[in-house]
Amino acid sequence: MSYPAQKLYYDGKVQPATSGKTFKTIDPSTAKPFAEVHTASPADIDAAISSARKAFPSWSQTPPIARSRILLKAVELLRSRNDEIAKIETRDTGKPFSETSTVDVITGTDVLEYFANLVASGGLNGETTQLRPDAWIYTKKEALGVCAGIGAWNYPLQIALWKSAPCLAAGNCMVYKPSEVTPLHGQILAQIYAEAGIPPGVFNIVHGDGAVGGYLTSHPGIAKVSFTGQVSTGQKVAASAAGGMKYVTMELGGKSPLIILPDTDLESAVDGAMMANFFSTGQVCTNGTRVFVHKSMKAAFEKRLLEKMECVRALEPMDANSNFGPLVSEAHYKKVLSYIKHGVENDEAKLLYGGFSKPKKIPSGYENGFWVQPTVFTDCTDSMKITTEEIFGPVLCILTYDTVDEVVQRANNTKLGLAAGVFGKDLNKCHEIIGKLEAGITWVNTWGESPAEMSVGGWKLSGVGVENGRRGLNAWVRERSTLVEGSGVVGTVFAKL
Ligand code: NDP
């Protein structure tokens, strides 16, 4: 193996798993294993939770400004090691370095900086209400306790930061389980937090599959579960959390509509649709995979899209010119290919570009990796499998429409509600349409940007709660309300015979 074995991290130390079991992490660009990872046993998870419980009283009582100073030190360390960490993320996910070095580490670190600054500047303040001249109510925001974070594989470090940043800033401790497909960032992040001054037990990492995640999220020592993953897994995790009345945040899948109005500048329409489908090889939860193009624009849109498909460059992942990597794992590769095959053979959509054979120009030495072609289907209908199920790969489906009312109704005709977007010149029209779309994350004339300041979360089956923005902090606290009577007279009905 070309990379050191990854162990667990709890109580401020790298710890071997007691299960005696390990699994391998695979470089998706070559399909070669490159690191051994320790699988946590139930006893290891108990130990990680117990180290977090031990750390909680002191960390939650540390003044927010002091917690903030430590987290800002971690921000500095993450930024100083940006390229080194990005290289590791490229190895683990297969994403081009041009992407991991400019998006993954940066957008995760920005969120850490945002929440560190927010808690240092009154973000955890409560309210005071004067009830009567001599009676007051004050509310305080208090930390929840030990929280579980469960990450998906598409933005490994970014997801770990989006969860741990508000969690720790609010005074909680965390036990985090990365996806077993992309575990490498875990130990690095834990060590950076420790170097910044986070006390032992405040941030912990356990590794393993769904069974490890299941044991962690249903543990009675856990106060909250923040989960990112598929709807079906989220439903299981939320159901088991409900048994223990745990707080939950669920960031799940989508099948998001991108509506292109007839007055849209053609170049913007094509650029938006490509970013909404091919960035990160389509492995983005908010992807706009149902591209609704007005009938009058269809021919021009398809022509320009086909010309621009040549700008998708599947090169060696560390090549600065690469902007398209392989899919993350063999299982996911097979899943995406089966959708493309279904689109051709069963849905009978028209294949405009790509398909289920491997890309023609895979870089030499990378032939066994999990590469697929960026794929475009057109003449799609609303009932096809490729337009109704989340593929989570680089598959763009073009659907045409006549009227705004029709497209809004069709865009909303899904159980999912993660993201949606509108492209058009008339901003008032765009806002009006956005107001009718059933989705928690929406864009006008752009796609995909999700900065720290923007609260994001899905509607319908796509999730519960939000991450980021000011509202993102509230997901990590509970409120205590206290009524103080200052008159010296206790309100009672039992004072007289
Ligand atoms: P999965 O649901 O398969 O897995 C997500 C995480 O849950 C993994 O760490 C997994 O472990 C773990 N897990 C699996 N079973 C259980 C269980 N019973 N209890 C607790 N944890 C469990 O999702 P993917 O990893 O395939 O991620 C892709 C999905 O994530 C897509 O649907 C995508 O839309 C969604 N996503 C949503 C985002 C959002 O913000 N809304 C952002 C990013 C992705 P292991 O992998 O080791 O089995």
Side-chain angles (χ1 to χ4, degrees), residues 150-155 159 162 177-181 208-215 217 227-234 236-237 250-254 283-286 332 390 392 418 441 456 458 462 467:
I150 304 281
W153 43 254
N154 61 333
Y155 280 89
I159 294 175
W162 282 23
K177 188 197 90 66
S179 163
E180 70 184 313
V181 180
D209 59 9
V212 170
Y215 187 86
T217 53
F227 174 87
T228 298
Q230 299 183 37
V231 173
S232 55
T233 323
K236 276 192 245 160
V237 173
M250 293 278 143
E251 296 292 346
L252 310 175
Q283 301 167 116
V284 183
C285 53
T286 51
H332 192 55
E390 185 186 43
F392 217 54
L418 189 59
I441 308 167
V456 286
S462 291
E467 289 188 323

Side-chain angles (χ1 to χ4, degrees), residues 105-121:
V105 190
I106 291 174
T107 54
T109 306
D110 284 354
V111 166
L112 185 56
E113 186 175 39
Y114 176 85
F115 283 114
N117 285 324
L118 186 58
V119 299
S121 55

Side-chain angles (χ1 to χ4, degrees), residues 130-136:
Q130 186 166 12
L131 188 65
R132 295 181 289 272
D134 46 11
W136 298 82

